Amino acid sequence: MSENKWFGTDGVRGVVGEFPMVADFATSLGKAMAKLICTKYKKVAIARDTRESGKMLEKALSDGLISGGVDVLLLGIMPTPAVTSLVSELNVDMAVMITASHNPNQYNGIKLIANTGDKLADNITARLERFIEKETVEEKNVNIGKIFEDNQVLEKYLKKVKTAVVKEKALVGMKIVVDCANGCFSNILPKVFESLGAEVIVLACSPNGENINSDSGTEHTENMCEKVVDVNADMGIAVDGDGDRIIICDNLGKRIDGDQIIAFLATYYKQHKYLLSDTVVATIVSNPALDIYLANNGIKCVRSIVGERYVIDEMKNVKANIGGEESGHIVISDYAKTGDALIAGLIFAQGVWEQKQKISNLFPLFKPIIRKRIDIKFINKNKMMKAFENDELKQKIGKWKNIIKNDSMVLVRKSGTEPKIQVWVWNDDEDLALNAVQDISAVLEKTEGFESCRKF
């Protein structure tokens, strides 16, 4: 797992205008990429989400790359899964996705993608960090790169997406509410579902550069759930700003999280003999009840550490074609290299529509063990790291692990994308779970650098 200085589980991320989300860092990163990675094609593809700040980071990265003699292929606003799916066809050394995913507009980030479509490994981002830290003298380079644009990539992606469609007009008669978080899928996802015959009601599909993920998307599903009930829709689909996460709700507006989506897709695939190795991959924060449900259906659930790319690594290890996270990253490797909300949504919608039942009659597929979670946010990563090593915190964790056992669990982990520590407790005794999560969190709340907490 990444212990890099700036790069986390999904690239580098932060508040725009604060290091490292500043132009100087992006330019230095571009120079490092040019020097260390771009040795074959001497070309990098860059895409971005709908944040206004993406233009600044795009220009700064491009400046660093072309100064190092590397050409830049600008893809414009593009979902992350489109980039990972097609980078291998672009004759580039790598791709960059400028996005902070599900985070608010004041954040932005830089995801680095190998020309295989995989996220760059920790050892490579560590080399880039060391280069940036040591960069002192500008090297003379007589070969300056050029900037090009490619407007055909999206159409190529949509052709790939359509291979996941079972039949023409597969969703005729279905009414769907879609919330695109004012992000990359705003002008894409509704049209795809309409092309399959569904009636689509749109929410948060009007990006203006400042409203990405604002009270919308996978982090704020309340509006979607309410709208589904208001318009008597069959289901709702919410995606995040860059399109790699999905959360669904049924016809009663009840939320269907990533664990339930994984469970449905796994059993649907097994019934149709599509499931490889009779195995799926989830992370250590997926509900323990997921494993029990899958085992009862003849499916093995393998756990990875948290982070989409660790899920993908484990999927490769066990030769699985379905994996994901409770947060809504759903990877179906038959069609996508990474989490793809459009692909997952299409296959899910077709699968439930085949059942010819109200979705509320199908879900939940299993009763989750009660989960309590509190996220403790710190003013910066250094304060967070120091708090995580607190002796009193370790003692509290040990105490509650001795109390909560069997099918229950206590987990305290550092976020891979933000300066926060997550405290999770699963136990069917709700009062006990609440006491545990509050007791552990209380230690962190009095630690130096504490900023805020959020209860789930």
Side-chain angles (χ1 to χ4, degrees):
M1 186 175 177
S2 173
E3 289 295 345
N4 291 351
K5 187 173 182 179
W6 302 311
F7 283 86
T9 55
D10 205 7
V12 60
R13 194 174 299 183
V15 176
V16 177
E18 298 178 10
F19 192 87
M21 284 297 102
V22 293
D24 286 349
F25 175 83
T27 300
S28 295
L29 177 59
K31 292 176 181 178
M33 290 157 50
K35 181 74 173 178
L36 301 178
I37 299 175
C38 303
T39 56
K40 183 177 180 181
Y41 297 103
K42 293 283 186 180
K43 183 184 283 189
V44 171
I46 300 179
R48 55 187 172 86
D49 68 19
T50 57
R51 295 164 219 260
E52 189 68 24
S53 60
K55 297 174 185 177
M56 176 270 290
L57 292 171
E58 178 186 76
K59 181 181 185 305
L61 270 167
S62 299
D63 287 345
L65 287 162
I66 62 176
S67 72
V70 172
D71 291 338
V72 173
L73 184 65
L74 298 180
L75 305 181
I77 294 172
M78 189 78 57
T80 293
V83 179
T84 57
S85 176
L86 290 168
V87 61
S88 62
E89 302 176 20
L90 299 178
N91 294 324
V92 295
D93 294 286
M94 63 175 294
V96 177
M97 181 68 200
I98 300 172
T99 180
S101 193
H102 61 285
N103 293 129
N105 181 62
Q106 63 265 34
Y107 287 82
N108 215 328
I110 300 171
K111 297 183 181 183
L112 303 183
I113 302 162
N115 62 5
T116 58
D118 300 308
K119 307 288 176 63
L120 287 193
D122 292 337
N123 64 321
I124 298 176
T125 54
R127 286 178 61 210
L128 292 170
E129 287 189 356
R130 288 196 296 271
F131 182 93
I132 293 169
E133 286 186 301
K134 292 178 180 177
E135 182 194 9
T136 54
V137 181
E138 294 282 342
E139 291 188 19
K140 291 183 179 179
N141 191 354
V142 295
N143 297 313
I144 302 300
K146 298 177 181 179
I147 297 179
F148 303 90
E149 294 183 4
D150 188 336
N151 299 316
Q152 305 302 312
V153 173
L154 183 57
E155 287 304 315
K156 293 177 183 176
Y157 167 67
L158 291 176
K159 284 182 181 178
K160 284 198 170 190
V161 167
K162 288 175 182 176
T163 63
V165 175
V166 175
K167 62 179 182 180
E168 232 182 295
K169 303 297 181 183
L171 301 179
V172 167
M174 179 179 261
K175 183 187 284 189
I176 306 176
V177 173
V178 297
D179 178 340
C180 292
N182 295 310
C184 297
F185 269 133
S186 294
N187 296 315
I188 302 169
L189 192 144
K191 292 177 182 177
V192 172
F193 277 88
E194 285 173 346
S195 73
L196 294 180
E199 179 185 349
V200 177
I201 295 91
V202 299
L203 294 174
C205 289
S206 302
N208 62 15
E210 298 179 353
N211 61 356
I212 190 170
N213 299 315
S214 178
D215 295 322
S216 60
T218 54
E219 296 296 290
H220 304 279
T221 55
E222 303 86 3
N223 291 338
M224 172 190 69
C225 294
E226 290 175 10
K227 192 70 172 179
V228 165
V229 175
D230 289 346
V231 301
N232 195 29
D234 295 294
M235 65 180 288
I237 293 175
V239 304
D240 68 342
D242 71 327
D244 62 0
R245 291 191 187 203
I246 180 172
I247 295 294
I248 291 168
C249 77
D250 67 16
N251 53 291
L252 300 179
K254 293 182 179 178
R255 194 173 183 273
I256 299 173
D257 68 10
D259 287 347
Q260 295 284 338
I261 296 171
I262 292 168
F264 176 79
L265 293 174
T267 50
Y268 175 70
Y269 257 47
K270 185 175 175 65
Q271 289 164 5
H272 288 76
K273 302 188 186 306
Y274 301 149
L275 189 67
L276 297 182
S277 306
D278 282 340
T279 301
V280 300
V281 177
T283 74
I284 55 174
V285 300
S286 278
N287 198 283
L290 172 64
D291 304 66
I292 298 168
Y293 170 82
L294 290 172
N296 289 338
N297 284 275
I299 301 168
K300 183 179 180 181
C301 184
V302 176
R303 299 289 187 124
S304 77
I305 59 176
V306 176
E308 180 197 56
R309 63 195 178 96
Y310 302 116
V311 171
I312 294 167
D313 287 344
E314 194 60 37
M315 287 173 66
K316 293 175 181 177
N317 289 339
V318 300
K319 296 180 171 56
N321 56 345
I322 290 180
E325 298 188 277
E326 178 269 348
S327 61
H329 284 123
I330 306 295
V331 183
I332 305 174
S333 61
D334 298 330
Y335 304 102
K337 286 281 190 177
T338 54
D340 188 324
L342 178 53
I343 291 286
L346 277 177
I347 295 175
F348 182 95
Q350 291 174 105
V352 295
W353 206 230
E354 286 178 12
Q355 311 300 314
K356 300 186 185 305
Q357 294 187 57
K358 294 285 188 182
I359 298 176
S360 59
N361 293 335
L362 302 173
F363 289 87
L365 295 177
F366 60 88
K367 181 183 178 182
I369 294 172
I370 293 171
R371 184 206 75 186
K372 298 296 179 182
R373 172 183 167 188
I374 297 178
D375 285 5
I376 309 296
K377 189 173 182 180
F378 293 84
I379 58 174
N380 57 47
K381 184 177 180 180
N382 289 337
K383 297 295 185 184
M384 181 267 288
M385 295 291 286
K386 187 175 179 180
F388 193 74
E389 298 301 324
N390 185 300
D391 288 337
E392 185 181 357
L393 175 65
K394 293 176 181 178
Q395 291 170 5
K396 286 287 187 185
I397 295 170
K399 165 193 164 183
W400 284 105
K401 282 187 173 181
N402 285 330
I403 297 172
I404 294 176
K405 297 180 179 179
N406 301 324
D407 289 332
S408 303
M409 188 166 64
V410 175
L411 177 69
V412 180
R413 65 174 295 271
K414 297 170 288 187
S415 168
T417 57
E418 298 176 77
K420 68 183 181 183
I421 295 173
Q422 301 169 345
V423 183
W424 305 67
V425 177
W426 293 263
N427 192 271
D428 276 333
D429 184 331
E430 186 168 6
D431 290 338
L432 185 64
L434 186 60
N435 287 339
V437 77
Q438 288 178 339
D439 194 33
I440 295 169
S441 299
V443 176
L444 294 168
E445 289 176 28
K446 65 183 183 182
T447 304
E448 182 185 358
F450 166 76
E451 182 176 289
S452 62
C453 71
R454 182 184 178 192
K455 298 178 181 180
F456 293 79

